[in-house]
Amino acid sequence: MASIQRQASSSSESQPPEAPVDDRKRKRMVSNRESARRSRMRKQKQLEDLMAEMSRLQNENSAITQRINGTSQQYVEVESANNVLRVQAMELTDRLRTYNSVLQIVEDVSGMPMEIPELPEPWQLPCPMPPIMASSNMFQF
């Protein structure tokens, strides 16, 4: 303890006793300022990164929305075309039934045998189309 007092007294001879405390306080203040500056820079970088990610995600969301709208529009167009084809198929089936009944009348009146084909039901066509199956992968981009 005596050596500490001697050192303090020897340093007090060259510098005032408050100088080491002020020097440490000044160094701590400089260190704190630098640490605060680094912290602000980190926060600014994080904010910039988050803003860039937000912009990227908004662009991606917009692109996906456009794709969904395009796909929905295509679906509506295909559904409409499908409905038109169904109506046309029903009209053609009715015509064919009418022609077959005319042939039947001609056969009955003339007594001449006619070959009147049977009308197949739509699900009994010779080359049935396989059903279109939906999957969860259909809308992955």
Side-chain angles (χ1 to χ4, degrees), residues 25-64:
K25 189 175 183 180
R26 185 181 55 76
K27 285 181 181 177
R28 194 170 351 128
M29 283 175 49
V30 168
S31 174
N32 285 346
R33 283 185 187 138
E34 184 61 26
S35 176
R37 185 185 67 79
R38 286 191 308 265
S39 177
R40 286 190 302 272
M41 288 177 65
R42 271 194 311 273
K43 285 184 180 181
Q44 183 65 31
K45 171 113 174 64
Q46 287 174 342
L47 179 63
E48 290 170 0
D49 291 346
L50 288 173
M51 294 295 283
E53 183 178 6
M54 181 186 72
S55 177
R56 181 187 62 80
L57 290 172
Q58 284 175 335
N59 290 339
E60 186 178 336
N61 190 21
S62 176
I64 289 172

Side-chain angles (χ1 to χ4, degrees), residues 80-127:
S80 176
N82 197 17
N83 289 336
V84 168
L85 291 173
R86 280 190 187 117
V87 169
Q88 287 176 346
M90 288 177 15
E91 288 174 357
L92 291 173
T93 302
D94 286 344
R95 269 189 188 171
L96 192 54
R97 283 194 178 117
T98 303
Y99 292 145
N100 282 347
S101 65
V102 168
L103 285 175
Q104 184 66 44
I105 291 171
V106 168
E107 181 181 48
D108 291 344
V109 170
S110 70
M112 193 164 41
M114 298 270 180
E115 190 173 317
I116 303 173
E118 294 272 334
L119 288 179
E121 294 295 329
W123 57 86
Q124 295 174 343
L125 293 174
C127 299

Side-chain angles (χ1 to χ4, degrees), residues 2-21 24:
S3 65
I4 293 174
Q5 288 176 350
R6 280 187 211 136
Q7 287 177 350
S9 64
S10 65
S11 67
S12 65
E13 293 170 5
S14 62
Q15 294 181 338
E18 296 174 357
V21 173
R24 274 188 263 140

